[in-house]
Amino acid sequence: MRINGLLFFQCFLFQKASSFVAHKQHFGRRESIIVAAQQGSSVQQEIFDTIKLEASSLQNSLNTALKYTQSSTIAKDVAVVCDELDKLCETKNVQGGLLMEKLGVHEKALRFARRNMLTKLMREDYEAYVATAEFLSPGRIPRSELPNVQDVSITNGDDRQVTRLLDQDTGLDLVADCELEDMKFNDSLLDKLLLKIFRELVVKESDGIAVSDKAGIDGLLEQGRKYMLKPNQTAEAQHQMVYNVLKGLMTPVLPPFYRLFMSGIVPKFGSDLDGKQFGPWFYAPWLTSFVTPTFFGFLVGPSRPNYKKDGQLGGLVVEKCKFLQESGCKGLCLNQCKLPAQQFFAEELGLPLTVSPNFVTQECQWSFGEVPLTPEDDPSFPRGCLAGCESRKAMVGSYADNI
């Protein structure tokens, strides 16, 4: 009996202990659920508050951009935006907590607004744009962030010194050489392939006269000089040679495609509309400006789309022309690049093009859809050879005296 009683008592205690432990565990779980729920609610609120702050920051940036793009006092507000950007740069190293701050959304909005104001000023008053750009760039606005640099000097107008240069042997006017540092070019595989094809076409179209054992762009320039210095050479012959090279480079397929879908020229189908031009279509200039950098980098170096002088899309600026930098020759630039390129786009592709080299900076503005002036009628195109041109003495008395 005693043994049975002890066993019963032990079972009773074990049952109560188990019940107590189970109850305590249930109570603990309920407390954990309550705490977790409270913590979850707090996290949700924190996330909600962060989203509100991010949205508010984004809206503030968009409102700022909108406010300045609707400005009626553009020159003044461009300077104000420059001040705001300077303040942002001073606090840029301070780590922001918001994603919009880390992404620099407000800074990008200000730069977008500034570019749009300058573009608007360019459309309304080009001379005022040039004066504003020269005053603020490059000190306050990087030259690369200007919508157009065609007539924007690299020095302030007050610091500019105009010195007339003369050839000591001939007395002819000379054009000052570029004083900026040379750019180092890194050719891609595509650039190297296109340059190889281009040079082979130059040999073919020059009837074997323009040949060189030198590699790369140096070899192409030697080819160009040999053809330029050929006895009884003419500018028109050089234009035609480069025209034919460009035509061969584009293959027989691309020009008809471009004429139809970009310039709106009806193909020859035996109808009354054959050859009639309904374009260029509105998208042709700006779309061409986006495609060109990929396929002409081998010749001119890096370039980027920008705005034309009229404030419209369809421009392209060559950062520092490889052809001009390495040749140092205005005659090669004019007769084996500028004029034949303009002629090719107008006659073969049906889209006017103005090529405007800047011999001070060696930048070059390409304006698609813009009818070019002749070099004689273009006030921005200087007269005379470049001071450091190696071909100048060899060309004395030739057609080059008139360029």
Side-chain angles (χ1 to χ4, degrees):
M1 290 294 294
R2 277 185 177 180
I3 293 173
N4 290 338
L6 286 171
L7 288 173
F8 177 78
F9 184 66
Q10 287 175 350
C11 291
F12 176 75
L13 289 177
F14 178 77
Q15 183 180 9
K16 290 297 183 181
S18 299
S19 177
F20 175 77
V21 170
H23 179 72
K24 187 173 182 180
Q25 288 177 343
H26 174 72
F27 185 74
R29 282 198 300 272
R30 188 170 66 177
E31 279 188 332
S32 299
I33 292 171
I34 294 172
V35 170
Q38 291 175 342
Q39 290 176 344
S41 177
S42 175
V43 171
Q44 287 178 352
Q45 184 63 40
E46 186 177 344
I47 293 173
F48 180 74
D49 292 341
T50 301
I51 292 173
K52 282 177 63 178
L53 289 172
E54 296 282 7
S56 176
S57 177
L58 178 60
Q59 172 128 29
N60 179 49
S61 298
L62 294 175
N63 288 341
T64 299
L66 184 62
K67 177 184 74 172
Y68 284 121
T69 51
Q70 295 176 340
S71 169
S72 58
T73 55
I74 297 177
K76 176 185 174 183
D77 285 338
V78 167
V80 171
V81 170
C82 289
D83 291 337
E84 290 194 36
L85 283 167
D86 288 342
K87 291 178 182 177
L88 275 178
C89 289
E90 290 174 1
T91 59
K92 204 168 185 178
N93 293 329
V94 179
Q95 185 67 29
L98 296 177
L99 178 62
M100 295 297 117
E101 294 175 357
K102 293 176 180 178
L103 294 176
V105 172
H106 193 65
E107 179 183 348
K108 291 174 183 175
L110 288 172
R111 293 188 188 279
F112 173 82
R114 183 174 66 186
R115 186 177 179 87
N116 274 271
M117 283 192 289
L118 288 170
T119 304
K120 182 180 178 183
L121 181 60
M122 189 162 52
R123 285 195 293 264
E124 296 176 354
D125 189 339
Y126 184 72
E127 291 185 1
Y129 162 76
V130 172
T132 302
E134 287 185 344
F135 180 72
L136 294 172
S137 179
R140 305 294 304 280
I141 305 176
R143 194 169 175 84
S144 61
E145 294 185 15
L146 293 174
N148 183 286
V149 297
Q150 184 171 342
D151 296 311
V152 180
S153 172
I154 56 174
T155 57
N156 188 283
D158 298 333
D159 301 329
R160 220 174 291 157
Q161 295 181 354
V162 179
T163 303
R164 187 180 181 188
L165 298 176
L166 296 175
D167 188 310
Q168 294 180 353
D169 296 328
T170 64
L172 296 174
D173 284 309
L174 297 177
V175 179
D177 293 314
C178 175
E179 296 182 358
L180 302 180
E181 291 185 6
D182 285 351
M183 177 181 283
K184 293 182 179 180
F185 302 100
N186 297 313
D187 293 340
S188 66
L189 290 176
L190 178 62
D191 291 334
K192 293 176 181 178
L193 175 62
L194 290 174
L195 181 59
K196 182 177 183 297
I197 296 172
F198 193 90
R199 290 189 59 182
E200 290 172 353
L201 289 170
V202 168
V203 174
K204 175 184 175 184
E205 297 299 334
S206 67
D207 295 326
I209 295 172
V211 294
S212 172
D213 294 329
K214 292 182 180 179
I217 190 70
D218 291 333
L220 176 63
L221 294 174
E222 185 174 65
Q223 290 176 270
R225 283 195 185 91
K226 284 186 176 181
Y227 194 70
M228 179 177 66
L229 298 175
K230 170 189 171 185
N232 302 317
Q233 182 60 282
T234 64
E236 291 73 22
Q238 293 183 75
H239 304 166
Q240 190 60 49
M241 184 272 287
V242 178
Y243 184 103
N244 293 339
V245 169
L246 291 173
K247 189 174 180 179
L249 186 67
M250 294 194 74
T251 74
V253 177
L254 290 179
F257 179 86
Y258 191 98
R259 286 197 296 268
L260 175 61
F261 292 101
M262 293 289 199
S263 300
I265 300 175
V266 178
K268 293 181 180 180
F269 291 130
S271 69
D272 294 338
L273 295 177
D274 283 3
K276 186 174 180 60
Q277 183 168 7
F278 293 93
W281 306 123
F282 70 93
Y283 54 81
W286 64 262
L287 189 56
T288 304
S289 72
F290 277 93
V291 173
T292 302
T294 302
F295 298 101
F296 276 87
F298 78 95
L299 191 61
V300 298
S303 60
R304 63 181 184 277
N306 72 344
Y307 289 84
K308 298 181 287 186
K309 287 176 67 172
D310 60 2
Q312 302 300 319
L313 291 170
L316 177 146
V317 61
V318 179
E319 296 176 16
K320 203 167 190 294
C321 180
K322 180 198 294 187
F323 192 80
L324 180 56
Q325 173 183 293
E326 301 303 326
S327 70
C329 180
K330 184 164 155 276
L332 284 174
C333 168
L334 179 66
N335 292 309
Q336 295 189 22
C337 184
K338 172 180 164 63
L339 294 181
Q342 291 176 170
Q343 181 186 2
F344 180 80
F345 268 86
E347 296 179 5
E348 188 69 22
L349 302 182
L351 179 70
L353 166 66
T354 296
V355 178
S356 305
N358 184 330
F359 296 102
V360 176
T361 63
Q362 293 181 341
E363 295 165 321
C364 190
Q365 175 70 33
W366 290 47
S367 299
F368 298 99
E370 181 180 297
V371 178
L373 297 171
T374 62
E376 295 78 16
D377 297 328
D378 186 354
S380 67
F381 197 84
R383 307 289 293 176
C385 285
L386 289 171
C389 179
E390 297 177 1
S391 306
R392 187 170 73 252
K393 291 183 179 180
M395 298 178 69
V396 172
S398 71
Y399 69 93
D401 290 346
N402 299 317
I403 54 179

